[in-house]
Amino acid sequence: MGRVLDVQTAAPLIPPHPTLPLLRSIAASCQACELFKRGTQTVFGEGPKAARAMMVGEQPGDAEDRMGHPFVGPAGKMLDKALEEAGIDRELVYVTNVVKHFKWSERGKRRLHEKPNAREIAACRPWLEAELRLLKPDVLVCLGATAAQALLGKSFRVTKMRGQILKAEIADAIMATVHPSSILRAPDDEARHREMELFIRDLKVIAPLLRH
């Protein structure tokens, strides 16, 4: 019989009656997984308490890690542009990540993104669950495969289900689409333009749900 790993999580850090500012303050010193040793700081979710949509990515990137705010780098600017094109008020959106520390490896002077593993995702999940309980968003949007599989199950495939409104216990309306960083990685301008149009098309699906 295999040894069961003791997975430490952030759960003991969550207070009985949290608020977003309190969670953000406590998360700043989270050491539930090893990523705190590499990240400059915890990058917690941001947005209004009354946000109608919650958008969840994988993890903060290099710019986010340095600045301490989610979605402020190139991918965040891409998201802002797509939301505007889709007719979604950015003020209605709360943005966060499955993992709150930047996982990276060094290549020369560059810090390159590394995908978080299952243990790191599990350790950080209580923060995301607490955000969901407090916000109770009308729409939950998973940006990319890591977020989608963390919230909708390992078998979920963004390529097959992107842009479709789903229902689950955690939210009345859930949609998965690509992470805006994937658009930036497209091989040329034509591909980037095409991927951006598809991303905007996906976001337009949720726009009517935020107008009632």
Side-chain angles (χ1 to χ4, degrees):
M1 184 173 174
R3 184 168 60 91
V4 177
L5 292 175
D6 177 26
V7 179
Q8 186 179 1
T9 80
L13 300 175
I14 310 294
H17 305 290
T19 62
L20 286 173
L22 180 57
L23 287 175
R24 189 173 291 112
S25 174
I26 298 170
S29 56
C30 182
Q31 298 182 9
C33 76
E34 295 293 302
L35 293 185
F36 80 93
K37 296 177 181 178
R38 295 286 279 167
T40 304
Q41 57 197 316
T42 304
V43 182
F44 206 75
E46 288 185 1
K49 171 70 168 64
R52 304 278 300 282
M54 181 171 170
M55 300 197 168
V56 184
E58 179 185 278
Q59 63 170 317
D62 182 72
E64 289 78 8
D65 176 67
R66 296 178 192 278
M67 297 171 70
H69 302 286
F71 288 91
V72 292
K77 291 178 174 60
M78 190 72 75
L79 176 61
D80 289 346
K81 182 180 178 185
L83 287 169
E84 184 179 353
E85 291 286 330
I88 296 172
D89 184 352
R90 182 66 177 77
E91 294 302 311
L92 296 176
V93 178
Y94 181 94
V95 291
T96 191
N97 287 291
V98 170
V99 171
K100 310 299 194 215
H101 281 106
F102 179 37
K103 184 177 183 178
W104 56 279
S105 59
E106 199 164 9
R107 185 175 297 172
K109 293 183 178 180
R110 297 177 63 204
R111 301 194 305 168
L112 300 181
H113 156 277
E114 278 193 5
K115 187 181 173 77
N117 62 37
R119 189 185 187 101
E120 292 153 354
I121 291 169
C124 213
R125 187 180 177 92
W127 296 119
L128 181 60
E129 290 176 343
E131 288 173 296
L132 276 165
R133 285 194 299 270
L134 281 170
L135 286 157
K136 298 181 178 65
D138 294 336
V139 183
L140 176 60
V141 180
C142 301
L143 299 171
T146 298
Q149 291 178 3
L151 290 166
L152 297 169
K154 289 287 185 187
S155 62
F156 189 89
R157 294 291 175 266
V158 174
T159 49
K160 293 182 178 179
M161 302 290 286
R162 67 178 292 180
Q164 297 182 35
I165 298 293
L166 308 168
K167 287 184 179 292
E169 204 172 308
I170 52 175
D172 287 340
I174 304 178
M175 188 192 75
T177 183
V178 297
H179 194 286
S181 62
S182 68
I183 302 169
L184 295 168
R185 294 194 299 270
D188 53 49
D189 287 343
E190 184 180 347
R192 273 188 292 277
H193 178 76
R194 182 172 63 251
E195 289 303 315
M196 183 64 164
E197 289 299 309
L198 291 172
F199 185 49
I200 293 167
R201 183 195 67 184
D202 289 345
L203 294 180
K204 282 182 175 178
V205 172
I206 67 162
L209 302 177
L210 303 176
R211 292 185 190 130
H212 61 75

